[in-house]
Amino acid sequence: MYPSDFGDTSEDVRITLLAALCTSRQAEITDALVDLLVALVHKINARAERRVEKQLTAELKKVRGKEGILFKLATAAVDKPDEVVRRALFPVVEERTLRELVAEAKANEKVFKAKVRTTLRSSYSSNYRQMLPPLLNTLGFRCNNTAYRPVMEAMKLLKKYADVDGKTRFYDVGDEVPMDVVVRKEWREAVVDDKGKAVHIPYELCVLVALRDAVRRREIYAEGAARWRDPEDDLPGDFEATRAVHYAATRQPLNPRSFIADLKRMTAGLDQLSGALADGSAGGVKVTTRKGEPWITVPKLEPLAEPTSLAALKEEVARRGVLDLLDVLKNADFLTRLHRGVLFGGRVRAHRA
């Protein structure tokens, strides 16, 4: 239907079409808002990690020969146990080298994560916290999995404190603050202080990360969305009645024991691959890291010999010559009378012979 035809329809048809359009557009907008939320939470974490990596890279300078330096320090300390450090050790190893060693030792994983948490708190409380509450209030999240109920309860707490100043350090004593599934192990010391109180801003960051992960796994869905809809709606309406047909279409067994047996065989294959990687018999396949993430590298394959049939095919094509596409079009038009259908204004008008 063209826009010009819309006015010629009856009022009932127009209202029905308009309702269908609004429903479709609402689902598209909801999907876009969920995408924005997922991207924002990822951006907050990724930007903080990049900033901390840049700071540590600028501060850190790799020191070569650590074992030799340690041996010199130990020898000097044993030979002159009563001497002042500056007089006994600095002549053996320069003070600048020792400072570089200290800087390198501090730049470990624990320090890195602590600095990331600090940077996250600063950027979130001063910038992102102003835009996320309106976005969360617009979206309606639902969950059918009881294992993720703590995340939903944490979302209610987050909305409750949406208008509270970010400088408020702790939650009220009467508030129930869910920890399981919401707060990761490495964040516990930042979220809970020495007295057992939940710190406001770090907990909100954990809630957003938990929400993002649950949404991406489809454990939590957005009401009124299309792509982020309830996963139960992905099943056909007649799934229970035609279960065998759908299982056959996806090539999955109806018997759960057969499905589990296939998974066990897959696990055995993965164990075999793990053993081959360990003893170096995996044919050059290695597990390395790329940008800090695990990465599987596969060696390049040697080029195969050209099949004899391909060479014969090339010779036959060269012998017959190249086809002229214009001649093909003319012959097709002669056989089908293609020119009788002429395109006018986006529509095909068929002429009778």
Side-chain angles (χ1 to χ4, degrees), residues 16-51:
T16 303
L17 293 175
L18 184 60
L21 175 63
C22 291
T23 302
S24 176
R25 287 294 296 153
Q26 181 182 6
E28 292 178 5
I29 293 173
T30 304
D31 285 337
L33 290 176
V34 176
D35 291 335
L36 178 62
L37 175 64
V38 172
L40 272 177
V41 176
H42 174 72
K43 184 178 181 180
I44 295 172
N45 288 271
R47 180 170 290 185
E49 289 183 359
R50 286 197 299 267
R51 187 180 302 175

Side-chain angles (χ1 to χ4, degrees), residues 55-350:
Q55 292 175 355
L56 291 179
T57 303
E59 295 174 0
L60 178 61
K61 182 179 180 181
K62 295 292 182 181
V63 181
R64 297 182 180 276
K66 299 182 184 65
E67 293 80 5
I69 294 174
L70 180 60
F71 178 76
K72 292 179 181 178
L73 290 175
T75 303
V78 172
D79 293 343
K80 302 177 182 179
D82 299 327
E83 189 64 72
V84 181
V85 172
R86 182 174 297 277
R87 296 177 181 175
L89 300 184
F90 285 176
V92 179
V93 180
E94 295 182 359
E95 181 180 357
R96 185 185 65 180
T97 304
L98 292 176
R99 292 187 181 277
E100 290 174 355
L101 277 171
V102 173
E104 184 174 343
K106 289 182 178 179
N108 55 21
E109 186 176 1
K110 186 175 181 180
V111 174
F112 174 78
K113 291 182 178 180
K115 285 196 173 187
V116 169
R117 290 196 294 266
T118 304
T119 306
L120 276 172
R121 291 177 58 177
S122 176
S123 60
Y124 172 73
S125 59
S126 59
N127 297 320
Y128 295 101
R129 194 173 184 271
Q130 301 175 5
M131 65 181 74
L132 282 174
L135 182 58
L136 293 174
N137 291 331
T138 303
L139 296 170
F141 290 104
R142 301 289 184 269
C143 180
N144 297 326
N145 191 342
T146 56
Y148 285 84
R149 282 296 169 188
V151 180
M152 299 302 296
E153 297 298 327
M155 287 289 298
K156 295 178 182 178
L157 189 63
L158 192 148
K159 291 181 179 180
K160 177 182 177 181
Y161 281 80
D163 298 329
V164 177
D165 189 1
K167 295 181 180 179
T168 303
R169 182 171 173 77
F170 301 105
Y171 287 101
D172 293 338
V173 179
D175 291 327
E176 184 177 354
V177 184
M179 290 292 173
D180 294 337
V181 186
V182 178
V183 181
R184 297 178 179 178
K185 184 178 180 181
E186 61 267 20
W187 273 83
R188 287 295 177 102
E189 59 180 343
V191 172
V192 183
D193 70 343
D194 298 336
K195 298 181 180 180
K197 294 182 179 180
V199 186
H200 185 199
I201 296 300
Y203 184 77
E204 285 192 3
L205 286 168
C206 292
V207 173
L208 292 174
V209 173
L211 175 64
R212 173 181 177 268
D213 294 341
V215 168
R216 295 185 66 191
R217 288 194 295 263
R218 305 291 299 277
E219 301 292 351
I220 293 179
Y221 64 91
E223 195 173 20
R227 189 157 54 89
W228 301 103
R229 63 184 179 273
D230 185 358
E232 296 293 335
D233 296 338
D234 294 341
L235 294 175
D238 60 345
F239 180 77
E240 292 298 332
T242 59
R243 180 185 291 266
V245 176
H246 295 296
Y247 272 69
T250 56
R251 298 180 181 179
Q252 297 296 335
L254 284 170
N255 189 348
R257 293 186 177 180
S258 301
F259 182 77
I260 294 173
D262 292 339
L263 291 180
K264 288 182 177 179
R265 283 194 292 270
M266 186 184 303
T267 303
L270 291 175
D271 292 339
Q272 185 179 359
L273 174 61
S274 178
L277 291 173
D279 59 21
S281 60
V285 178
K286 298 180 181 178
V287 178
T288 59
T289 56
R290 183 176 181 181
K291 296 182 179 179
E293 298 293 334
W295 189 263
I296 298 178
T297 59
V298 180
K300 293 184 178 180
L301 298 177
E302 296 294 332
L304 299 176
E306 185 178 276
T308 56
S309 57
L310 181 60
L313 179 61
K314 290 180 179 179
E315 293 177 359
E316 184 65 19
V317 171
R319 186 182 66 82
R320 295 194 178 192
V322 180
L323 293 177
D324 191 345
L325 294 180
L326 184 58
D327 290 340
V328 174
L329 178 62
K330 288 169 62 179
N331 291 333
D333 177 66
F334 178 76
L335 295 174
T336 62
R337 298 294 188 269
L338 181 65
H339 67 279
R340 292 181 179 275
V342 183
L343 190 65
F344 288 105
R347 300 185 182 181
V348 175
R349 181 182 300 174

